[in-house]
Amino acid sequence: MVLRNDIDLIGDFLGTIPAMIEVTKKEPLQVIINDKVAGLFDLIPKKYGIERVYEGQHDKAFDLQIAFKFASIANLHMIQSHFAFVGLPIPINIPRPELEFDKLVSYLKYDYILAPFSRSLPPEQLWQQAKWIELVRSMPDKKFILFGNSKHDTNFINEPNCAVVFDRPFDVVCNLIQQSEAVISVVTGISHLCYALNKTNYLFFNQGLWGKNVDAICFDGLIPNISVEEVKSKII
């Protein structure tokens, strides 16, 4: 089977991994992927033999983008929708994406990872910068890491107990997540990595079933209206 998996969002690409792995148990699989997720593709266990191929090498490839439309119609989680799209039984319990990477020892001492940035939500729908800063300041005995990339403000939280980690390789990001106590985030690729790695995720959530970390501990209500005290009451 040849799949076109031209998704450039971390979370959405992670959602395709369980179905791709399941396909390999029946037949060989080749995939066309976006360069932006190549580092994540490299973390799929090699034992499954999923081969990366490129546009022009195959005339026919099943385009996984169709699964997005199917999920909204059938009210499925994205991982379930990809199983349905490739003709596999839809799992009742949503499987975790399986990743394989070397364990690294972090030189950073920290408790929580913060992932406040979203590619899909406008600023007015996010938790305000001032509240992220207040949260960090109100927990001076805890150490934080701010996750982001080159498009984000490295001074978003400029506090002595918050380190900045931007644009790191996926294996480093996975190690940092695994070694943390928990991750506090909006719906973003980091939240999906938490599900894959079975790491506690405190989540500002305002979407449907499609992209939810189903294990996440969600804050209730409109995200901008959630107070710092509400957040602390869940994580402490």
Side-chain angles (χ1 to χ4, degrees):
M1 181 183 289
V2 181
L3 291 175
R4 178 177 290 104
N5 191 357
D6 193 28
I7 297 167
D8 65 350
L9 292 171
I10 296 171
D12 288 354
F13 184 82
L14 278 166
T16 69
I17 291 176
M20 290 197 295
I21 287 175
E22 198 64 25
V23 166
T24 67
K25 298 175 183 178
K26 295 186 176 184
E27 60 181 293
L29 177 64
Q30 297 176 318
V31 294
I32 300 166
I33 66 168
N34 193 297
D35 285 338
K36 292 182 180 179
V37 295
L40 194 53
F41 174 81
D42 290 340
L43 301 188
I44 300 174
K46 300 298 185 290
K47 65 182 179 182
Y48 295 114
I50 301 174
E51 179 188 0
R52 181 182 181 183
V53 293
Y54 297 86
E55 292 287 357
Q57 290 183 253
H58 295 275
D59 294 331
K60 294 182 179 180
F62 293 104
D63 195 335
L64 273 178
Q65 293 283 359
I66 298 174
F68 286 77
K69 297 179 181 179
F70 178 75
S72 61
I73 296 171
N75 193 31
L76 294 174
H77 189 276
M78 63 178 173
I79 290 177
Q80 294 172 314
S81 72
H82 293 119
F83 273 74
F85 177 73
V86 296
L88 295 169
I90 299 173
I92 297 174
N93 297 317
I94 298 171
R96 298 182 194 279
E98 189 176 342
L99 303 176
E100 184 177 72
F101 50 90
D102 293 333
K103 300 298 184 289
L104 305 174
V105 177
S106 172
Y107 61 91
L108 292 169
K109 302 298 181 184
Y110 59 96
D111 301 288
Y112 296 105
I113 288 172
L114 308 177
F117 306 112
S118 172
R119 182 169 155 182
S120 58
L121 293 177
E124 63 271 16
Q125 293 184 27
L126 295 172
W127 212 44
Q128 300 94 327
Q129 179 183 9
K131 290 182 178 178
W132 287 101
I133 294 171
E134 183 182 345
L135 176 67
V136 171
R137 285 178 176 172
S138 70
M139 302 170 68
D141 58 325
K142 299 295 184 181
K143 301 295 184 184
F144 299 86
I145 288 179
L146 174 66
F147 269 178
N149 61 47
S150 58
K151 296 180 180 178
H152 302 135
D153 180 7
T154 56
N155 291 312
F156 185 83
I157 302 174
N158 189 12
E159 297 295 323
N161 58 331
C162 185
V164 175
V165 175
F166 280 19
D167 290 316
R168 294 297 194 273
F170 284 110
D171 61 335
V172 174
V173 170
C174 288
N175 271 280
L176 290 171
I177 290 173
Q178 278 196 331
Q179 294 166 28
S180 70
E181 183 175 332
V183 174
I184 307 168
S185 76
V186 296
V187 176
T188 183
I190 300 303
S191 175
H192 295 288
L193 278 172
C194 287
Y195 184 69
L197 301 172
N198 198 20
K199 175 58 61 175
T200 301
N201 179 204
Y202 297 101
L203 182 64
F204 294 98
F205 186 75
N206 65 347
Q207 299 182 20
L209 176 63
W210 162 260
K212 185 178 183 181
N213 173 349
V214 294
D215 279 354
I217 300 168
C218 295
F219 303 114
D220 299 323
L222 291 173
I223 292 175
N225 295 342
I226 297 169
S227 69
V228 172
E229 288 307 315
E230 287 177 83
V231 173
K232 289 178 65 176
S233 70
K234 286 190 184 265
I235 67 177
I236 296 178

